[in-house]
Amino acid sequence: MPLTMIVTRPRPCRAVPLFPRVVAALVAPLLLAGCGLLVRPRPAAALRFEFAPTTGDGYMNQVLTIVNEGDRVLAPTLEFTALDAAGRTLPSVRVASVYGSDRGRLVVPPGASIDVLTFTGAGARAAEDVAVSVRTAEPVDAPAVNVQPVVTPVDDGGRVLDRNSRFTAVSVRNDDSEQMSVRLVYIIWTDPPADQRQQAERVVPVGDLIVLPPKHTTLVPVTGEARAAVADAAGRVPTSIKAYLSR
């Protein structure tokens, strides 16, 4: 699977007269300056991407893997351009993300994280890849967790249910030794013919930002719009309940 390209334009360093350049050369080992020798790499440079249109039966399609090769936790804001199988731009196709990496919502610690993309508009079925532009990549003051949150739908009595049942609460467990902050989304998927890819048709937030202490489990009630969405879709169309690291 080809890697998509990060589009960034680093700021050029301006030329300076000889004397300031000599002084700068002496001071550079002591300072981190905009054009110095010890500048820390821009956060966006630590990110690379891989897009998979399909991932096999029982798994989400149109998955974007975000690899953070740096040592800081980041919250990127990304822009996507849909491409066809030949790498040509599809200008009428709008690309959006389920976990909010196009809105700065998804937090990516060092290592690999994922988001899920949707394609809409004329020619959306021809989309086979994406080009990714990094608008910003903000460092986040949060510990780098090494595990994903464990999500379990339950009923009013605490009985464990599957994702396609009418659940009324969600148990979210943090198995890491560090605190994590997550958001929950209820995803209603399309149910296309076998020759077409499944994608998220509707994404409904469940609750707000959830802060989980280390080795802790919390119960999140399903209310409002999310409760109505579960009542409408459960057992009728494919659905998922997912958690992702956020801020």
Side-chain angles (χ1 to χ4, degrees), residues 52-244:
T54 58
T55 53
D57 291 342
Y59 294 92
M60 296 183 294
N61 290 329
Q62 300 176 178
V63 171
L64 178 76
T65 299
I66 304 170
V67 180
N68 178 359
E69 296 179 326
D71 58 4
R72 290 180 285 179
V73 179
L74 301 176
T77 299
L78 308 177
E79 289 184 355
F80 306 106
T81 301
L83 307 174
D84 66 13
R88 295 178 296 235
T89 299
L90 298 169
S92 298
V93 178
R94 180 178 178 272
V95 188
S97 83
V98 169
Y99 295 165
S101 62
D102 53 356
R103 304 183 301 281
R105 277 282 184 95
L106 179 67
V107 167
V108 293
S113 303
I114 68 164
D115 203 341
V116 183
L117 304 184
T118 63
F119 299 91
T120 55
R125 288 182 58 184
E128 293 290 337
D129 201 356
V130 289
V132 184
S133 301
V134 182
R135 292 180 59 193
T136 61
E138 298 179 25
V140 177
D141 184 15
V145 297
N146 297 312
V147 300
Q148 292 298 310
V150 179
V151 175
T152 308
V154 298
D155 64 12
D156 287 333
R159 183 169 59 96
V160 172
L161 302 174
D162 64 38
R163 62 185 183 180
N164 290 313
S165 298
R166 292 193 177 190
F167 53 87
T168 57
V170 181
S171 168
V172 187
R173 189 176 80 239
N174 175 12
D175 288 337
D176 202 273
S177 57
E178 298 283 358
Q179 176 177 288
M180 66 169 61
S181 297
V182 305
R183 294 183 190 274
L184 280 170
V185 286
Y186 183 64
I187 307 171
I188 300 173
W189 301 96
T190 58
D191 193 11
D195 62 339
Q196 296 180 28
R197 295 196 303 267
Q198 187 181 62
Q199 73 169 0
E201 183 174 51
R202 186 180 173 196
V203 180
V204 184
V206 179
D208 208 335
L209 186 68
I210 304 158
V211 179
L212 289 168
K215 307 295 183 180
H216 182 80
T217 300
T218 191
L219 197 64
V220 181
V222 178
T223 61
E225 182 186 2
R227 194 179 188 98
V230 171
D232 176 62
R236 184 178 62 83
V237 291
T239 62
S240 295
I241 178 72
K242 296 290 185 180
Y244 60 91

